[in-house]
Amino acid sequence: MSRGRGKGGRAQAVPGGVVGADRSGDSYLPGHGNGGYRVTHYDLELTCRPSTGRISGRARISAVAEPGAAGEPLSGFSLDLGAFRVDGVLVDGARAARYTHRADKLRVRPARPLPAGAPFTVEVRYVGVPRPVKTRHWGDLGWEQLEDGALVAGQPIGAPSWFPCNDHPSDKASYRIAVTAPSPYAVLAAGTLDSCTVSASTTTWVYEHPAPMSTYLATVQIGLYDQVELTDAAVSPVPQRAAVPPRLRDLFDHDFARQPRMMAAFQDLFGPYPFDEYAVVVTDDELEVPVEAQTLSVFGANHVDGQRGCERLVAHELAHQWFGNSLSLADWRHIWLNEGFAKYAEWLWSEVSGGVPAAVHAARFRATLAEQPQDLLVADPGMPRMFDDRVYQRGALTLHALRTVLGDDAFFAVLREWTATHRHATVTTEEFTALAGRHAAQPLDELFTAWLYTSRLPELPGGPGPV
């Protein structure tokens, strides 16, 4: 445990007020996230040494104090932060702050309580070698040292492995991320590159992201990469770029050549792309699965083969920019709104690109699922099974069943209204089913009860279909 005092020397006693909870209240991951305030902006500055893995960081967090039950001011609050040495904490710049850092919680006591509704800033300086967040069900999450560089794969609770934060998807904020690394390395982060400043031996890369972003979707990628332009203005005006190891460039050029077409197709199906640009990183290491971040997706060397063998995953990660990133979860139990939608996007891309129709994919996956245990509720799978393949597949089947009942015109109108209404906000299952119901000629209660709230696998509407 570390203890500290901010500027001003002797720590002062803190007058009365309410201390924000150091739990989020999430139904699955209540220990991640905090109460008493909401974040509006993260300003992160990191200096990274890929040879040792060591980083030194300064995080300046802008937030708004929330009132207690009786309108009391905020006398203390907490942030999620991994095993770094904390060198200092300031609240509103000059105010002294007392803090403790233990068990991945940084607890802060300002010199004076923060009035309810008042904006404030907290600045944290820290240093160390980032350690991934170890989990029982999903392995190591967050900052990961590569053979020559680093990546961040934060879903669902990996963000505290590299910066102090309010680690819950519902507390979305804008970001500025500045990373200084040795000049041979390329750095990509969530957002748009604002500046790139070269000094004697290092380069500072600054990314700005004004759109609200959940903490787990913030990312930094560092490696010896070629920068690749993917934008095809004749197909889609959205700027698209990539960072790829030189040895994989030819394979990548073939495997990702259709991504601009994919972007255009998804804009037709889901509505306008919700961010300013989109980037792809292919690491020189193998990864078990690709991972989405906001405005950026990360693939392993094993996901490029020169035969488009993983193109469905390219579609899956791109679809997350709408479903999961722009529209973020209000609570982790709604995970199917991320993964079921991205899985169905795989089938939609197959269909619109001249491959196997979505109906055939649905029939095949339904037949496979029928042979597996039927003990999972899509709308509430339980924390250990948040990323169970059946959540993805049954979630996609739910959407295909809805499409079958509504018809294409109404179904895609639902998707476009869903993404427009909740753009850059948070969503729940109940909000989606209510919206779909408004587009239906008959009640959808039985359909959603069968597919989302019943463990037994239903039949697809209209029969199993061709396989």
Side-chain angles (χ1 to χ4, degrees):
M1 179 175 68
S2 62
R3 297 183 182 273
R5 299 172 181 170
K7 286 183 179 179
R10 185 163 57 91
Q12 305 173 30
V14 179
V18 64
V19 177
D22 61 3
R23 297 170 69 82
S24 66
D26 187 88
S27 60
Y28 285 3
L29 298 166
H32 280 257
N34 309 274
Y37 64 95
R38 56 182 175 83
V39 177
T40 58
H41 182 71
Y42 289 93
D43 188 331
L44 308 178
E45 293 185 355
L46 305 176
T47 298
C48 304
R49 301 169 181 82
S51 60
T52 65
R54 188 176 181 84
I55 71 171
S56 57
R58 180 202 63 86
R60 190 171 188 270
I61 301 166
S62 301
V64 176
E66 294 185 332
E72 305 98 327
L74 185 67
S75 63
F77 58 91
S78 55
L79 295 160
D80 300 292
L81 179 64
F84 292 96
R85 187 185 78 219
V86 176
D87 287 340
V89 178
L90 300 177
V91 176
D92 284 341
R95 294 184 183 179
R98 299 174 63 187
Y99 63 89
T100 62
H101 184 210
R102 180 178 59 195
D104 297 337
K105 288 288 184 179
L106 177 62
R107 296 176 174 86
V108 180
R109 287 262 187 173
R112 295 183 296 276
L114 303 163
F120 68 96
T121 61
V122 55
E123 182 175 309
V124 181
R125 294 184 180 273
Y126 58 103
V127 65
V129 176
R131 300 177 187 174
V133 176
K134 294 187 178 296
T135 68
R136 176 182 175 185
H137 303 289
W138 314 303
D140 293 350
L141 306 172
W143 189 285
E144 181 180 345
Q145 194 69 18
L146 299 176
E147 186 70 24
D148 201 351
L151 68 79
V152 172
Q155 190 181 30
I157 52 173
S161 70
W162 67 286
F163 72 102
C165 58
N166 189 22
D167 191 29
H168 191 269
S170 66
D171 195 18
K172 303 174 73 167
S174 59
Y175 281 71
R176 174 184 177 270
I177 302 174
V179 180
T180 300
S183 290
Y185 290 87
V187 175
L188 286 87
T192 300
L193 183 63
D194 182 67
S195 65
C196 189
T197 306
V198 180
S199 65
S201 61
T202 63
T203 301
T204 299
W205 308 68
V206 180
Y207 287 83
E208 297 278 359
H209 190 45
M213 177 164 62
S214 301
T215 50
Y216 82 90
L217 294 168
T219 192
V220 170
Q221 309 290 324
I222 304 172
L224 299 172
Y225 297 130
D226 280 352
Q227 302 276 357
V228 180
E229 181 65 41
L230 286 174
T231 306
D232 185 345
V235 177
S236 170
V238 177
Q240 298 176 58
R241 57 195 172 90
V244 185
R247 72 178 182 89
L248 298 175
R249 177 65 186 275
D250 289 344
L251 299 178
F252 173 86
D253 287 348
H254 177 78
D255 287 359
F256 283 76
R258 301 206 298 178
Q259 185 178 279
R261 285 179 54 199
M262 190 183 293
M263 176 71 78
F266 286 176
Q267 287 183 289
D268 287 341
L269 298 173
F270 308 147
Y273 180 69
F275 305 111
D276 292 334
E277 64 176 59
Y278 181 60
V280 166
V281 174
V282 178
T283 71
D284 210 10
D285 298 51
E286 293 192 354
L287 302 180
E288 183 178 353
V289 293
V291 64
E292 76 274 12
Q294 196 147 305
T295 74
L296 186 155
S297 297
V298 186
F299 297 81
N302 51 311
H303 298 129
V304 291
D305 59 9
Q307 301 177 41
R308 296 184 181 142
C310 292
E311 191 174 65
R312 70 174 184 84
L313 300 177
V314 178
H316 185 106
E317 303 309 328
L318 176 57
H320 273 311
Q321 301 304 318
W322 286 266
F323 307 111
N325 299 5
S326 176
L327 278 63
S328 299
L329 304 177
D331 186 286
W332 282 110
R333 71 181 173 87
H334 304 292
I335 186 64
W336 86 278
L337 293 175
N338 290 8
E339 303 301 348
F341 280 63
K343 185 68 180 179
Y344 196 57
E346 298 177 26
W347 304 353
L348 291 174
W349 170 245
S350 173
E351 180 175 292
V352 302
S353 63
V356 175
V360 174
H361 283 292
R364 291 173 178 173
F365 274 97
R366 200 253 169 229
T368 299
L369 285 169
E371 299 176 356
Q372 298 180 16
Q374 297 182 30
D375 57 357
L376 178 144
L377 301 181
V378 176
D380 192 2
M383 186 272 287
R385 297 191 292 193
M386 282 169 55
F387 301 107
D388 190 304
D389 284 345
R390 293 173 295 167
V391 174
Y392 293 52
Q393 295 161 9
R394 284 195 58 167
L397 285 170
T398 301
L399 293 173
H400 190 73
L402 178 63
R403 178 184 176 186
T404 303
V405 168
L406 294 182
D408 278 10
D409 289 347
F411 174 75
F412 289 109
V414 167
L415 296 192
R416 289 188 290 270
E417 183 177 340
W418 180 239
T419 61
T421 301
H422 301 283
R423 181 182 173 94
H424 301 320
T426 58
V427 291
T428 67
T429 298
E430 294 76 17
E431 288 171 329
F432 178 74
T433 58
L435 186 153
R438 293 195 291 272
H439 287 258
Q442 57 191 28
L444 298 174
D445 296 14
E446 289 187 8
L447 182 146
F448 285 128
T449 296
W451 283 100
L452 297 176
Y453 299 102
T454 304
S455 58
R456 184 175 62 84
L457 182 67
E459 296 287 347
L460 284 167
V467 295

